[in-house]
Amino acid sequence: MPNLGIEVLFEGSNFERLLGGLLVTIEISFISIVIGTLLGIIMGLLRTLDSKPLRLVLRLYLEAFRIIPILVWLYVVHFSFSPLLQIDISGEATAILVFSLWGAAEIGDIVRGALESMPKHQVESGQALGLSSGQLYRHILIPQAVRRMLPGSINLATRMVKTTSLVVLIGVIEVVKIGQQIIELGVIKAPNASFWVYGFIFILYFLVCYPLSRLSKRFEHKWQN
Amino acid sequence: MNLDWDFIMESLPLYGDAMWLTVKLAVIAILLSLILGLLFSLVLFYKVKGISAIIRAYVELSRNTPLLVQLFFLYYGLPKVGIQLSEFTCAIVGMTFLGGSYMTEAFRSGIEAVGKSQLESGLSIGLSKVQLARYVILPQALAISIPSLGANAIFLLKETSIVGAIALMDLMNVAKDLIGMHYKTAESLLLLVLAYLVLVLPLSLLLSWVERKVRHAEFGN
């Protein structure tokens, strides 16, 4: 086997193109996490309110994302929105929409959990000490809530980065798609390309996700109590 | 919206076949993952030299990479170095590779939750390490792990939606084909969503019921 095939990764601009594709993946996850977090905070606050119908609706919203696979959501939005709304929605826009809504549901649940786990007596003690409600939030509630939310949120971010690999299936040009293009182009010159290209993409994902999951574990241990 | 009911009735068998494929895949992959997870978590518990490090590396590698890329590597990459697996085998291997690490973590956290005093008591009454695992740790660890094992099972069942990418005729592929051939988008997607509801919802309800039971058992009343 004179041609190992690993050279294909470094031929021409292949290396940069693959990294560029990874960037698309990261971009979609990042935008979705930002939008999802903002919506999720609102949703989490709403879910602690005392309105039964509101709780039910938001719970159903969360369960819809937990029960139906994300790929199904991508298909549903991708195949039905463009014809329905008579506008051409790109794969990226579809992906950001679906991932943001998913993020909002999951972050909403994390925020709700953090808020509900806060012991009531802390608020009461704070008030007894004469703290204003602004001070109460600033010094007591928010720092603790953030601690409780961080591990789960970072975990969600890792899951999102991994799940964005699916957007190739609705036609987004990201790292897997670029890998496929490189493999197709080199089909005669580098017949082993798929082994190296997919292996490389595998490692790329690991390099992005591993630090995130380490971070989440670190926070979990540090702030366990 | 006007739905074409004849079309829906005609496509039902296709969805039925695909659901059957999903169930087969999920059941095999979940069982294999459970076996791997139990074995690996015990290896980690006993700190078996050498093997523990390999298993830790495997867990991190598998948890931090997407199933789609794992499947592509197995299906398109491995044949280039002489390992050719069928689509179905690839799907099983990929899903077990993914599920094994999740199940290992679930068992491990259950084992870690068993009180240290219990281990010491067990050792002090002369139990061997194997007896300790068999009679003291595993029964308790299993009860603690059940919610996360169940969550992983649901996760794996949903992950089967990806196997269409390596040419298996799963629900996603059936829906995509029907949309491409007949332009019956609404009908195809409706059936797709319903199929997953039928598959996942019962398991999800069962899990939340079990979780309530386990919690009850933990804290009494």
Side-chain angles (χ1 to χ4, degrees), chain B residues 28-221:
Chain B
I28 298 175
I30 289 168
L31 285 179
L32 291 177
S33 302
L34 280 171
I35 295 170
L36 274 193
L38 186 59
L39 277 176
F40 288 176
S41 62
L42 284 174
V43 170
L44 289 177
F45 173 70
Y46 287 126
K47 301 194 171 65
V48 182
K49 258 190 204 146
I51 309 178
S52 284
I54 295 173
I55 288 173
R56 269 200 300 276
Y58 152 71
V59 168
E60 295 301 341
L61 207 58
S62 137
R63 284 177 68 92
N64 288 301
T65 47
L67 179 62
L68 183 75
V69 178
Q70 296 167 3
L71 288 177
F72 276 171
F73 182 72
L74 288 171
Y75 187 63
Y76 297 111
L78 284 189
K80 304 296 173 195
V81 290
I83 303 167
Q84 184 109 39
L85 304 171
S86 74
E87 290 91 348
F88 192 79
T89 317
C90 263
I92 294 285
V93 172
M95 288 185 51
T96 307
F97 179 80
L98 181 78
S101 67
Y102 279 80
M103 295 299 189
T104 304
E105 291 280 280
F107 279 119
R108 194 185 53 89
S109 63
I111 290 175
E112 274 176 8
V114 176
K116 210 168 180 187
S117 59
Q118 303 228 0
L119 305 186
E120 285 158 1
S121 319
L123 288 174
S124 72
I125 59 168
L127 293 183
S128 72
K129 264 188 150 185
V130 176
Q131 285 174 319
L132 194 67
R134 163 83 182 74
Y135 297 108
V136 180
I137 298 165
L138 282 183
Q140 299 183 68
L142 279 179
I144 300 168
S145 300
I146 279 177
S148 41
L149 293 174
N152 289 343
I154 291 181
F155 165 72
L156 284 175
L157 179 57
K158 285 161 65 187
E159 287 287 283
T160 55
S161 59
I162 296 164
V163 299
I166 55 167
L168 278 163
M169 239 1 211
D170 79 321
L171 288 163
M172 305 303 297
N173 241 348
V174 167
K176 203 175 154 189
D177 267 12
L178 289 177
I179 292 171
M181 285 188 300
H182 305 285
Y183 299 107
K184 299 281 185 196
T185 311
E187 290 83 354
S188 308
L189 292 175
L190 181 69
L191 285 171
L192 176 66
V193 172
L194 285 179
Y196 274 105
L197 277 181
V198 170
L199 284 172
V200 186
L201 196 57
L203 195 59
S204 165
L205 291 175
L206 178 74
L207 179 62
S208 44
W209 181 78
V210 170
E211 237 169 277
R212 271 199 303 277
K213 286 276 156 194
V214 172
R215 212 170 289 157
H216 190 68
E218 256 174 59
F219 298 119
N221 44 16

Side-chain angles (χ1 to χ4, degrees), chain A residues 36-52:
Chain A
T37 305
L38 295 176
L39 289 177
I41 291 173
I42 300 171
M43 208 158 285
L45 289 170
L46 289 177
R47 282 187 65 192
T48 58
L49 296 180
D50 240 351
S51 153
K52 269 218 162 129

Side-chain angles (χ1 to χ4, degrees), chain A residues 17-76:
Chain A
R17 285 179 60 208
L18 282 170
L19 291 185
L22 186 69
L23 213 60
V24 174
T25 299
I26 294 172
E27 237 170 56
I28 292 176
S29 333
F30 183 77
I31 297 173
S32 308
I33 287 167
V34 171
I35 301 176
T37 305
L38 295 176
L39 289 177
I41 291 173
I42 300 171
M43 208 158 285
L45 289 170
L46 289 177
R47 282 187 65 192
T48 58
L49 296 180
D50 240 351
S51 153
K52 269 218 162 129
L54 186 68
R55 275 176 175 231
L56 184 72
V57 169
L58 293 177
R59 181 69 200 273
L60 282 178
Y61 170 71
L62 171 69
E63 292 301 331
F65 276 95
R66 291 224 169 129
I67 287 169
I68 307 286
I70 294 299
L71 185 56
V72 176
W73 280 115
L74 287 170
Y75 267 40
V76 167

Side-chain angles (χ1 to χ4, degrees), chain A residues 61-106:
Chain A
Y61 170 71
L62 171 69
E63 292 301 331
F65 276 95
R66 291 224 169 129
I67 287 169
I68 307 286
I70 294 299
L71 185 56
V72 176
W73 280 115
L74 287 170
Y75 267 40
V76 167
V77 173
H78 181 66
F79 285 118
S80 62
F81 269 36
S82 295
L84 212 66
L85 302 176
Q86 307 279 334
I87 43 169
D88 205 21
I89 300 184
S90 70
E92 277 96 337
T94 305
I96 289 175
L97 180 65
V98 170
F99 284 113
S100 298
L101 291 177
W102 173 36
E106 294 281 358

Side-chain angles (χ1 to χ4, degrees), chain A residues 16-213:
Chain A
E16 290 87 15
R17 285 179 60 208
L18 282 170
L19 291 185
L22 186 69
L23 213 60
V24 174
T25 299
I26 294 172
E27 237 170 56
I28 292 176
S29 333
F30 183 77
I31 297 173
S32 308
I33 287 167
V34 171
I35 301 176
T37 305
L38 295 176
L39 289 177
I41 291 173
I42 300 171
M43 208 158 285
L45 289 170
L46 289 177
R47 282 187 65 192
T48 58
L49 296 180
D50 240 351
S51 153
K52 269 218 162 129
L54 186 68
R55 275 176 175 231
L56 184 72
V57 169
L58 293 177
R59 181 69 200 273
L60 282 178
Y61 170 71
L62 171 69
E63 292 301 331
F65 276 95
R66 291 224 169 129
I67 287 169
I68 307 286
I70 294 299
L71 185 56
V72 176
W73 280 115
L74 287 170
Y75 267 40
V76 167
V77 173
H78 181 66
F79 285 118
S80 62
F81 269 36
S82 295
L84 212 66
L85 302 176
Q86 307 279 334
I87 43 169
D88 205 21
I89 300 184
S90 70
E92 277 96 337
T94 305
I96 289 175
L97 180 65
V98 170
F99 284 113
S100 298
L101 291 177
W102 173 36
E106 294 281 358
I107 297 268
D109 201 46
I110 293 171
V111 170
R112 179 198 56 84
L115 290 175
E116 282 179 354
S117 71
M118 221 69 84
K120 252 209 170 90
H121 65 79
Q122 296 210 0
V123 176
E124 286 159 4
S125 317
Q127 283 167 339
L129 283 171
L131 295 183
S132 70
S133 66
Q135 287 172 319
L136 206 61
Y137 273 94
R138 164 83 185 72
H139 297 291
I140 296 177
L141 294 179
I142 292 175
Q144 296 187 78
V146 168
R147 282 175 178 211
R148 285 175 198 191
M149 285 164 52
L150 261 182
S153 311
I154 299 173
N155 227 341
L156 178 70
T158 324
R159 272 163 65 205
M160 262 192 193
V161 173
K162 284 192 294 175
T163 313
T164 41
S165 64
L166 299 182
V167 301
V168 66
L169 302 175
I170 57 165
V172 178
I173 313 280
E174 44 71 83
V175 62
V176 177
K177 184 77 210 169
I178 289 176
Q180 287 171 347
Q181 290 170 352
I182 291 172
I183 291 165
E184 276 162 29
L185 275 177
V187 84
I188 295 163
K189 246 176 48 191
N192 294 333
S194 54
F195 178 80
W196 297 105
V197 170
Y198 286 127
F200 183 62
I201 295 174
F202 184 82
I203 292 166
L204 279 182
Y205 267 105
F206 179 74
L207 292 178
V208 174
C209 294
Y210 183 61
L212 282 176
S213 65

